[in-house]
Amino acid sequence: MKRVIFVLTERVELFDAAGPAQVFHEANAAGADYALVFAAASAEVTSVPSLTLARLHPLPDDVGPSDTIVVPGSGILREDACARRARIRPLVAWLRRAYDAGARVCSVCVGAFALGAAGLLNGRHVTTHWKYIEALQQAFPNARVATNRLYIFDGRIATSAGIASGVDLALAIVERDAGARIAAIAAREMVVGVRRAGADEQLSPYFHAREHVFAEVHAAQDWLVEHLDEPYSLESLARIAGVSSRTLTRQFRAATGGTVKDYATSLRLALARELLRDRSLKVEEVAERCGLRDGRHLRRLWRERFGASPSHSRGAEA
């Protein structure tokens, strides 16, 4: 189990914490394995807007490589970090220890200022809310502060822009940890689009061809993403979408540029790529989990798409 430790400070921006927390919660419902911990230097803090967050955990001492730290933004936190005030020193020291122990350390909005005060931004590509880009660069001149970015990963440090971009960052973390399929399901449950930074892998089939207005096609795509190990027919998908097979075929091509079969195959091969990373699984087992007839079927599709066998591709990624 991976822990996600939210570090809450006084006057924390509520959505900076709640948005990413909801992503990890939905990811768990889709098959991920996160334990959420809400920690602070005191038992309760007051958020912006004014909501008292109580029964908070103390900052844990046993942080390690399986932990992800999330520092949501706070105006007070930003001011304390810029002024190097004494009251921020325990948090700064804890963040430094957490990073040195192998944890991934992330910020939402002006939470980046706390990472800067801990010396974690030196030489790294980072970002923050557009209003505070210049202030972050001035406060931490050794950071490489980027403008117009939703989020940036630089090693085990991840930073995001203002407020809603914390959701984007959390979805990206889930995709890295648990795969694109679970991230896509979490995004769907939250009724959000998956916006991706330019440095990330482009055109994952889970997210590709979803920016259209055909509700019937979305319904079919959603079912396929969540039932990749199950058989389907054009007729069964049409019933789910509430249209005729002919209408679904026409709308699917207009929305995605391809056929239902092409789309489903892309999803199944993407899932196969994730499963093949587990070397304890045989190709036949991977094929079954992807809803394919057998290992021969997977090998044929894989060779047609990638020009090599699944075993060869598995070895190339080692």
Side-chain angles (χ1 to χ4, degrees):
M1 177 176 290
K2 296 178 179 292
R3 279 193 306 183
V4 182
I5 304 169
F6 288 85
V7 179
L8 307 181
T9 55
E10 193 63 27
R11 306 297 290 168
V12 61
E13 295 285 347
L14 187 60
F15 194 75
D16 282 10
Q22 190 69 31
V23 170
F24 294 114
H25 172 75
E26 298 297 348
N28 279 345
D33 192 19
Y34 291 108
L36 305 188
V37 177
F38 299 91
S42 56
E44 63 180 50
V45 299
T46 302
S47 72
V48 175
S50 299
L51 182 67
T52 299
L53 307 176
R55 300 178 65 182
L56 302 174
H57 294 271
L59 298 173
D61 294 325
D62 60 337
V63 178
S66 63
D67 295 318
T68 295
I69 314 298
V70 179
V71 184
S74 158
I76 291 177
L77 179 65
R78 173 179 55 82
E79 294 166 4
D80 284 357
C82 287
R84 308 297 201 274
R85 290 175 181 154
R87 65 181 176 181
I88 200 177
R89 289 175 189 164
L91 171 59
V92 166
W94 182 84
L95 289 173
R96 184 74 237 186
R97 289 197 302 273
Y99 179 79
D100 290 343
R104 176 170 52 195
V105 183
C106 312
S107 65
V108 181
C109 196
V110 295
F113 285 81
L115 276 60
L120 300 180
L121 302 187
N122 293 338
R124 297 187 183 277
H125 295 277
V126 300
T127 194
T128 188
H129 191 288
W130 61 268
K131 285 174 61 176
Y132 301 105
I133 290 288
E134 185 176 350
L136 185 67
Q137 187 67 82
Q138 290 179 349
F140 307 104
N142 291 327
R144 299 176 180 179
V145 184
T147 61
N148 196 29
R149 291 289 298 273
L150 284 172
Y151 56 85
I152 298 175
F153 285 92
D154 192 330
R156 286 186 287 111
I157 300 296
T159 54
S160 65
I163 307 179
S165 62
V167 170
D168 298 289
L169 174 61
L171 286 168
I173 291 171
V174 169
E175 183 177 352
R176 289 181 172 219
D177 291 348
R181 178 171 176 265
I182 287 180
I185 293 172
R188 180 199 172 204
E189 287 297 321
M190 294 181 66
V191 199
V192 298
V194 181
R195 294 176 290 175
R196 316 184 75 211
D200 286 344
E201 180 183 357
Q202 298 296 304
L203 298 181
S204 163
Y206 294 104
F207 308 133
H208 180 48
R210 296 305 301 260
E211 296 181 357
H212 57 79
V213 297
F214 294 97
E216 297 84 0
V217 176
H218 280 301
Q221 288 175 309
D222 289 340
W223 190 93
L224 287 169
V225 167
E226 296 186 29
H227 301 85
L228 285 178
D229 60 339
E230 299 180 22
Y232 75 93
S233 66
L234 183 59
E235 291 74 19
S236 66
L237 284 180
R239 285 194 296 272
I240 290 168
V243 295
S244 69
S245 300
R246 183 176 179 179
T247 297
L248 180 61
T249 298
R250 185 180 69 253
Q251 290 184 341
F252 211 97
R253 185 173 291 279
T256 71
T259 67
V260 172
K261 183 179 179 180
D262 290 340
Y263 184 78
T265 298
S266 293
L267 293 178
R268 286 172 165 166
L269 290 177
L271 177 59
R273 183 182 292 279
E274 294 176 18
L275 294 176
L276 285 168
R277 293 171 183 160
D278 182 351
R279 295 180 177 274
S280 68
L281 292 176
K282 297 180 180 179
V283 171
E284 287 71 17
E285 293 176 284
V286 172
E288 181 180 356
R289 294 192 188 188
C290 295
L292 299 173
R293 290 192 301 272
D294 50 32
R296 179 183 296 180
H297 189 196
L298 173 57
R299 291 184 183 94
R300 179 176 63 78
L301 291 175
W302 196 275
R303 188 172 294 278
E304 289 174 355
R305 183 65 58 91
F306 304 116
S309 68
S311 299
H312 180 272
S313 298
R314 170 183 267 174
E317 293 184 1

